[in-house]
Amino acid sequence: MLLDMLLVTAAVSVALLCSIAGADDPYRFFSWNVTYGDIYPLGFRQQGILINGQFPGPDIHCVTNDNIIINVYNSLDEPFLLSWSGIQQRRNSYVDGVYGTTCPIPPGKNFTYIMQMKDQIGSFYYFPSLAFHKAAGGFGGIRILSRPGIPVPFADPDGDYTVLIGDWYTANHTNLTNTLDRGKKLKFPDGILINGRGPNGAYFGVEQGKTYRLRISNVGLMSSLNFRIEGHKMVLVEVEGTHTLQSKYSSLDVHVGQSYSVLVTADQPPRDYRIVVSSRFTSPILTTTGILKYSNSAGPMSGPLPGGPTIQIDWSLNQARSIRTNLTASGPRPNPQGSYHYGLINTTRTIRLASSAGQVNGKQRYAVNSVSYVPPDTPMKLADFFKIDGVFRVGSISSTPYGGGIYLDTSVLGVDYRAFVEIVFENPEDIVQSWHIDGYSFFVVGMDGGQWTPASRNSYNLRDAVARCTTQVYPFSWTAVYVALDNVGMWNVRSEFWARQYLGQQLYMRVYTDSTSLRDEYPIPKNALLCGRASGRHTRPF
């Protein structure tokens, strides 16, 4: 019965795609069954979330502009959603996979995601976006290769590895959710995983003299992590879809939610080498190890672990500033990345977003511009489409902080389609924060300590700032980004510190046009799940 349903769903998906995606672009089909299962990442049995029996889940390998059809069957006993971090979902926020846009998949039901990797390359990941499912697994890597004939600024590597790193709790995800629902803070994580495994559990085979690409994503819940390989330099080549200047690093800070691609050459004496991942800016410092294993290894690992940075903010800030765009390299299209001169475009609006933490009705909450986000009873994108009043209010969050106390609301910021805006993330707290914007890649033009002022623009990089979808903000500091709002939809702007996101540190940015042209936005998917006040309505007849 399940097989029959999968085949029917796939056929329906193809029919839907023919009306949306270009017929010349390839289709890639995936069928995923999401289940609970026993996992032992830190040596203790836990209930994990598996995809097709795998923890982490299977990688998605595809090429620019490929059409991706993923039928997800929810075999859990609770609603489930997958989101696709960094995938821009051009003109199609309906399938972004966060609750503001997409109804959850009910237990025992399935939903087919229909996406196109439009004009994108690079390294990304997917993850479960509801509740605290991310703490149980359900995540995996996404790699988008360049189309044949589009030059890539480095030789094809001899191997290509997904490296998912992140902090981890031994507690069940439901226990973590209950802690937050009671208004309490989570304790410090219990460890760090590499590809779902604890110390020395993950290994990567290499051959002497060959070069390998490592796609490193921090899929954790709160911790900035430092990644390094004993005795080897890493050449940074790509950050979340942008080819970078190929600088060498001994270690690399990967903040929560971020993805980096590095090239590593097996140019050392043949033996086993430690891959070390350690937490940054924490006390205590969590550390784990993996193994870089030469095929002709002459011996096991030995000696002390290679040291890395611990609490040094300036070191991390200077490294972040050193990451620049390769202006002459092609992106997903043959034209050079530097042909888009973002620094010559006048911004039309400045949006300042400041985080805060506090108590509301005796419970811990987090906020943006004093508003602590509360999910509505209906996904806002559906309420927009069906014109359902009372679900949300555009302008329910200010575009600048005013310093008042935290209050609860469903925060939606209205912005103009095709505007070019400056967004300043302000962090008045003593932790490193990480911010993500769905649907977009933005230019990280500046970051520094202290309070942002208009004079801060004098230090902006208006030539070769890296374009990405997730950026860090250091303690008592600010980070400024430029973004062209050319993607109509309802887009999540969130903290990647997952407890903060869950307890209100997020909002939605409504990029709106009254145009009904398919050049601006695709119609609602015919197979869209309907829930809340949208239940019982009809999507569209074709």
Side-chain angles (χ1 to χ4, degrees):
M1 180 177 177
L2 175 57
L3 179 59
D4 291 340
M5 182 166 58
L6 297 180
L7 292 174
V8 169
T9 304
V12 171
S13 301
V14 173
L16 285 167
L17 276 165
C18 289
S19 67
I20 294 178
D24 293 333
D25 297 314
Y27 297 90
R28 297 181 189 267
F29 295 87
F30 302 83
S31 180
W32 289 357
N33 187 27
V34 181
T35 63
Y36 294 122
D38 289 342
I39 57 175
Y40 300 81
L42 292 177
F44 305 94
R45 184 172 66 86
Q46 294 181 246
Q47 183 189 71
I49 293 179
L50 314 180
I51 298 179
N52 291 351
Q54 299 179 41
F55 169 73
D59 279 358
I60 296 174
H61 295 182
C62 57
V63 176
T64 301
N65 291 351
D66 278 358
N67 298 297
I68 306 298
I69 305 99
I70 307 178
N71 184 57
V72 179
Y73 192 88
N74 179 16
S75 294
L76 308 181
D77 59 2
E78 54 187 320
F80 185 78
L81 262 183
L82 284 173
S83 190
W84 321 90
S85 185
I87 305 305
Q88 294 176 15
Q89 311 292 2
R90 302 295 301 177
R91 298 179 281 173
N92 195 19
S93 65
Y94 291 104
V95 296
D96 195 34
V98 289
Y99 182 70
T101 64
T102 313
C103 288
I105 307 170
K109 302 295 184 181
N110 72 301
F111 176 69
T112 300
Y113 288 89
I114 302 168
M115 307 180 286
Q116 186 180 26
M117 305 310 194
K118 180 67 175 172
D119 289 336
Q120 287 192 263
I121 57 167
S123 309
F124 308 97
Y125 66 93
Y126 62 86
F127 68 99
S129 63
L130 291 185
F132 234 66
H133 292 161
K134 191 179 181 186
F139 45 74
I142 302 173
R143 64 181 69 171
I144 310 176
L145 302 179
S146 296
R147 290 175 291 171
I150 304 296
V152 176
F154 50 89
D156 287 343
D158 297 293
D160 197 330
Y161 288 114
T162 294
V163 185
L164 304 177
I165 59 176
D167 51 15
W168 189 258
Y169 288 91
T170 56
N172 189 287
H173 73 277
T174 55
N175 294 335
L176 298 175
T177 304
N178 290 336
T179 297
L180 296 173
D181 288 343
R182 293 197 309 271
K184 307 298 183 182
K185 295 182 180 180
L186 297 183
K187 66 181 183 66
F188 194 66
D190 296 298
I192 297 173
L193 306 185
I194 303 176
N195 285 351
R197 294 170 173 82
N200 295 330
Y203 77 92
F204 304 89
V206 298
E207 294 185 24
Q208 186 79 34
K210 292 187 176 182
T211 298
Y212 298 83
R213 182 172 184 171
L214 305 184
R215 300 173 186 263
I216 309 162
S217 294
N218 184 339
V219 299
L221 301 169
M222 62 176 285
S223 302
S224 297
L225 300 175
N226 182 264
F227 184 92
R228 53 200 183 271
I229 304 176
E230 181 182 13
H232 293 73
K233 297 287 187 181
M234 298 177 289
V235 178
L236 183 65
V237 293
E238 177 254 330
V239 172
E240 292 160 18
T242 299
H243 288 134
T244 63
L245 292 179
Q246 295 180 17
S247 301
K248 288 187 177 182
Y249 296 92
S250 298
S251 69
L252 194 63
D253 275 358
V254 185
H255 302 277
V256 63
Q258 292 185 337
S259 297
Y260 292 85
S261 273
V262 299
L263 297 179
V264 177
T265 300
D267 56 3
Q268 298 300 303
R271 63 176 179 86
D272 295 350
Y273 292 88
R274 267 80 61 93
I275 297 171
V276 183
V277 182
S278 57
S279 61
R280 292 282 270 123
F281 324 115
T282 64
S283 179
I285 296 170
L286 297 174
T287 301
T288 196
T289 53
I291 303 171
L292 188 75
K293 188 174 188 64
Y294 280 60
S295 60
N296 57 340
S297 175
M301 302 172 294
S302 61
L305 293 179
T310 54
I311 61 172
Q312 303 93 328
I313 296 289
D314 286 348
W315 185 96
S316 187
L317 175 62
N318 290 332
Q319 181 178 88
R321 288 171 171 166
S322 74
I323 299 172
R324 304 294 183 92
T325 296
N326 184 338
L327 297 179
T328 61
S330 298
R333 299 187 180 190
N335 52 299
Q337 294 178 140
S339 61
Y340 183 78
H341 299 286
Y342 68 91
L344 300 179
I345 304 173
N346 292 327
T347 58
T348 56
R349 183 179 180 184
T350 296
I351 298 168
R352 295 168 51 210
L353 302 176
S355 67
S356 58
Q359 298 276 313
V360 177
N361 299 325
K363 293 186 175 183
Q364 181 66 45
R365 297 292 299 187
Y366 300 94
V368 186
N369 289 359
S370 299
V371 185
S372 186
Y373 178 82
V374 178
D377 60 9
T378 305
M380 293 174 290
K381 187 60 185 170
L382 297 184
D384 233 1
F385 176 79
F386 291 114
K387 300 185 178 356
I388 303 172
D389 293 331
V391 174
F392 70 94
R393 178 176 57 87
V394 177
S396 50
I397 181 172
S398 170
S399 60
T400 57
Y402 73 94
I406 293 177
Y407 63 96
L408 307 178
D409 204 346
T410 301
S411 36
V412 177
L413 182 68
V415 292
D416 295 330
Y417 179 42
R418 292 180 176 152
F420 190 77
V421 303
E422 173 187 44
I423 300 177
V424 182
F425 296 104
E426 300 180 1
N427 180 13
E429 303 179 70
D430 63 353
I431 62 170
V432 175
Q433 304 212 37
S434 192
W435 284 92
H436 176 89
I437 302 180
D438 277 356
Y440 287 95
S441 181
F442 49 73
F443 295 94
V444 184
V445 294
M447 55 177 65
D448 208 346
Q451 179 68 41
W452 181 90
T453 69
S456 303
R457 297 183 180 120
N458 295 329
S459 66
Y460 283 5
N461 175 4
L462 299 181
R463 183 175 181 271
D464 61 355
V466 70
R468 63 187 316 165
C469 59
T470 308
T471 187
Q472 70 272 32
V473 191
Y474 293 101
F476 309 113
S477 300
W478 55 267
T479 295
V481 307
Y482 282 177
V483 57
L485 299 177
D486 58 356
N487 195 13
V488 173
M490 187 77 71
W491 301 109
N492 192 218
V493 182
R494 63 175 177 267
S495 169
E496 288 289 348
F497 190 139
W498 213 242
R500 284 178 165 256
Q501 177 273 155
Y502 183 79
L503 293 181
Q505 194 173 317
Q506 60 172 307
L507 66 139
Y508 280 82
M509 188 167 62
R510 182 179 184 251
V511 184
Y512 179 77
T513 177
D514 57 9
S515 166
T516 58
S517 171
L518 293 181
R519 289 180 297 181
D520 294 322
E521 187 175 25
Y522 292 147
I524 186 172
K526 187 177 180 181
N527 69 327
L529 297 174
L530 302 179
C531 56
R533 283 185 259 176
S535 297
R537 299 182 183 241
H538 301 285
T539 53
R540 55 188 176 88
F542 57 90

